[in-house]
């Protein structure tokens, strides 16, 4: 069964600093990988997704993530943090079937709360 | 267009009572998912529908939990004999179809269930 581990339940950065949120996955086959963001009192919003087309994936709001099969990682980065980036971030995995289509369900990590200081 | 909507936004009930949580997916989305998010945790999969049928209900914790989607649109998650451990935010998501490159799931704001 697939699983996702997010290292660090809380990350704090200064405004303008690099954001790095870590995600490692465990999957029996190469998965689809996702990062979602959850702002207070709002639903989860997709930031970006990896579906085997390119290992470096660019998402919304200046975020990007790199799929590294050798490290089973999909870390999320942003060169310069903004106050509006403060939220909770979730990494998620969807296993692929043998034919290449993904299962419907997502397995999420426990989340990382990002705090941005002025 | 409208996103995924869930009602009620908050539900407080007493232990042992029955509750129903409703999800209205994005129009035209054939796949619908239910997740449960406990405090401090990531969402946990419960069940998903492709059309009217439950394609995978492996995440339902026990037989007190049941979900339906009779017409392939609105879904209702039903919890019988609620327990305090059922307290959580119940999230609904929909996608154009389940699986494949187009399976981006759009989430609703959730229903916060509190069992006293």
């Amino acid at each position: 069964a697939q699983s996702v581990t997010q290292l660090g339940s809380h990350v704090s950065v200064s405004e303008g600093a690099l954001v790095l949120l870590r995600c490692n996955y465990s999957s029996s086959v190469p998965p689809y990988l996702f990062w979602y963001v959850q702002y207070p009192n709002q639903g989860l919003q997709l930031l970006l997704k990896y579906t085997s087309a390119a290992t470096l994936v660019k998402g919304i709001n200046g975020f990007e993530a790199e799929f590294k099969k050798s490290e089973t990682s999909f870390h999320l980065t942003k060169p310069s943090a903004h106050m509006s980036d403060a939220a909770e971030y979730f990494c998620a995995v969807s296993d692929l079937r043998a034919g290449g289509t993904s299962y419907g369900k997502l397995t999420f990590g426990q989340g990382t709360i990002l705090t941005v200081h002025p | 267009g409208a996103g995924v909507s869930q009602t009620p936004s908050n539900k407080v009930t007493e232990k042992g009572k029955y509750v129903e949580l409703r999800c209205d997916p994005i129009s035209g989305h054939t796949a619908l998912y239910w997740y449960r998010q406990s405090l401090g945790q990531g969402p946990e999969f419960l069940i998903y529908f492709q059309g009217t049928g439950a394609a995978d209900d492996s995440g339902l914790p026990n037989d007190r939990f049941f979900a339906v989607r009779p017409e392939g649109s609105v879904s209702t998650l039903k919890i019988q004999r609620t327990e305090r451990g059922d307290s959580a935010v119940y999230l609904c998501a929909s996608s154009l179809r389940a699986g494949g490159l187009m399976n981006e799931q759009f989430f609703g704001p959730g229903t916060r269930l509190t069992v006293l």
Side-chain angles (χ1 to χ4, degrees), chain A residues 95-108:
Chain A
D95 266 359
L96 290 181
R97 303 174 191 271
T101 58
S102 74
Y103 288 103
K105 68 182 183 182
L106 297 176
T107 299
F108 286 85

Side-chain angles (χ1 to χ4, degrees), chain A residues 28-82:
Chain A
S28 57
V29 296
Y32 288 170
L33 291 158
F34 306 81
W35 275 99
Y36 281 85
V37 61
Q38 188 173 36
Y39 298 102
N41 301 316
Q42 295 187 27
L44 289 162
Q45 179 183 2
L46 182 67
L47 272 179
L48 49 80
K49 64 182 178 183
Y50 166 75
T51 57
S52 76
T55 57
L56 182 62
V57 181
K58 294 187 183 299
I60 62 172
N61 300 338
F63 284 93
E64 63 182 36
E66 185 173 8
F67 172 70
K68 292 187 176 180
K69 184 178 178 180
S70 61
E71 299 177 7
T72 60
S73 69
F74 190 57
H75 301 331
L76 181 71
T77 61
K78 182 174 180 177
S80 178
H82 191 273

